[in-house]
Amino acid sequence: MSMSTSNSHGIIVPETLGELILAAAARGSIAMRASTVVTTPSRDYRVPVVAGLPTSAFVLEGAELALGDVDIEELTITPAKVGHVAPLSRELVRDSFRENAPEIVANAQGFDIAKRIDLGFFGGNNPVANDGLQVLAGVQEVDAGELFNLDPFAEAQSLSENVGGTVTSFVASPTNALILTQLKRATGSNEPLLQSGISDPTAPVARQILGSQLLVSPAVDDDVIWAIPQTSSLVVVREDVDTEISTDVFFTSDRVAVKTTMRVGWNWPHSAALVKINVSQGS
């Protein structure tokens, strides 16, 4: 992947800074964790989508096979530019780079970009970037009401499987994630209903719902939980992540301006495999 950096006034920018920023964004973005992430050197990324298959049939030996055409459409994803300028202290930047710890600066840049990606991915119409899940046509829906058990999630998995999908992630808001985490296996029991995906007590807690990971994002509204098959959700990143540093903009406060831009887009080649679980909050 091609990353570019530039510097001014003696601050030497590590060549790996762009890659570290992208890695930080990938860790922080729930959209990227729930999707298949691909990189492209091109302005547009084209995905062939099979819209219709020929009809197969058993035939006798020597008999003619049925002739049918495959209906293939093309989905185009155009990554849009996202970025910001962050004022960081000169000491932080210098110490980070001199001590071979550029992750400090990379995390500061990458995590904010991750938030913007998630807001767009789980949002609605977007005049600059790709539209989000809220306005995606063709998704299936489950009306769950209040969350008392995991039946709506089983239904969502079944709906996705009926069209060839496999739900790998459920994505919920922090409010709904807390409700799910507090569900118990039985009345009077303290045993949580959700499964733990990691047996190592030193590892971060990984919550699962019926075998699919539960991811949490503030970018998701409280009235919906998304069931997402990873293979049906694409996040496309342009290969160039640009980082520039200037000591001029914030000269009087002795800070350094760190500008980062990357280009990212998303779309869903098989929208019917995604399921929108509509939920309501108790009074």
Side-chain angles (χ1 to χ4, degrees):
M1 177 173 292
S2 170
M3 306 290 174
S4 65
T5 58
S6 66
N7 63 293
S8 66
H9 298 278
I11 296 179
I12 301 175
V13 182
E15 294 182 358
T16 59
L17 183 60
E19 295 178 356
L20 292 171
I21 290 172
L22 179 57
R27 290 194 305 272
S29 170
I30 298 302
M32 296 179 74
R33 290 170 58 186
S35 305
T36 299
V37 179
V38 297
T39 59
T40 178
S42 305
R43 178 182 180 275
D44 298 322
Y45 183 80
R46 292 176 171 81
V47 184
V49 178
V50 179
L53 292 173
T55 302
S56 301
F58 288 102
V59 297
L60 296 173
E61 292 296 333
E64 293 289 335
L65 293 172
L67 180 63
D69 294 327
V70 179
D71 185 8
I72 298 181
E73 299 176 353
E74 189 175 75
L75 179 69
T76 301
I77 303 174
T78 303
K81 182 167 67 175
V82 59
H84 62 272
V85 176
L88 303 177
S89 74
R90 185 190 302 268
E91 290 74 19
L92 170 65
V93 175
R94 280 182 171 171
D95 293 345
S96 173
F97 293 167
R98 286 176 179 174
E99 300 299 325
N100 293 322
E103 294 87 353
I104 297 174
V105 173
N107 288 342
Q109 300 294 91
F111 288 155
D112 187 74
I113 288 177
K115 293 179 182 178
R116 304 306 142 192
I117 294 173
D118 286 356
L119 287 170
F121 184 95
F122 294 107
N125 293 310
N126 194 317
V128 177
N130 303 119
D131 290 340
L133 278 173
Q134 288 182 7
V135 294
L136 178 64
V139 300
Q140 302 189 77
E141 296 192 30
V142 171
D143 292 325
E146 294 185 45
L147 296 171
F148 296 114
N149 53 50
L150 302 184
D151 289 352
F153 300 90
E155 184 179 351
Q157 288 178 327
S158 177
L159 288 174
S160 183
E161 290 165 353
N162 282 337
V163 294
T166 300
V167 174
T168 50
S169 300
F170 290 105
V171 186
S173 69
T175 298
N176 285 325
L178 176 60
I179 293 173
L180 291 168
T181 302
Q182 293 176 330
L183 293 178
K184 308 303 180 185
R185 288 192 175 274
T187 302
S189 172
N190 287 322
E191 185 178 2
L193 185 58
L194 297 191
Q195 305 161 298
S196 176
I198 297 179
S199 57
D200 183 359
T202 65
V205 176
R207 290 164 290 186
Q208 291 188 343
I209 298 177
L210 304 176
S212 302
Q213 66 177 340
L214 172 63
L215 299 176
V216 183
S217 174
V220 177
D221 292 338
D222 288 339
D223 61 352
V224 63
I225 296 174
W226 290 102
I228 302 177
Q230 188 174 39
T231 56
S232 299
S233 181
L234 293 180
V235 172
V236 179
V237 180
R238 280 276 296 270
E239 288 187 345
D240 49 334
V241 176
D242 299 326
T243 302
E244 299 180 49
I245 289 182
S246 172
T247 59
D248 298 329
V249 180
F250 303 106
F251 175 77
T252 57
S253 59
D254 198 31
R255 293 179 296 170
V256 175
V258 183
K259 182 182 74 173
T260 299
T261 58
M262 64 182 291
R263 288 167 174 79
V264 60
W266 48 81
N267 215 317
W268 301 272
H270 188 17
S271 60
L274 280 75
V275 182
K276 178 182 181 183
I277 304 175
N278 299 304
V279 299
S280 59
Q281 308 298 320
S283 56

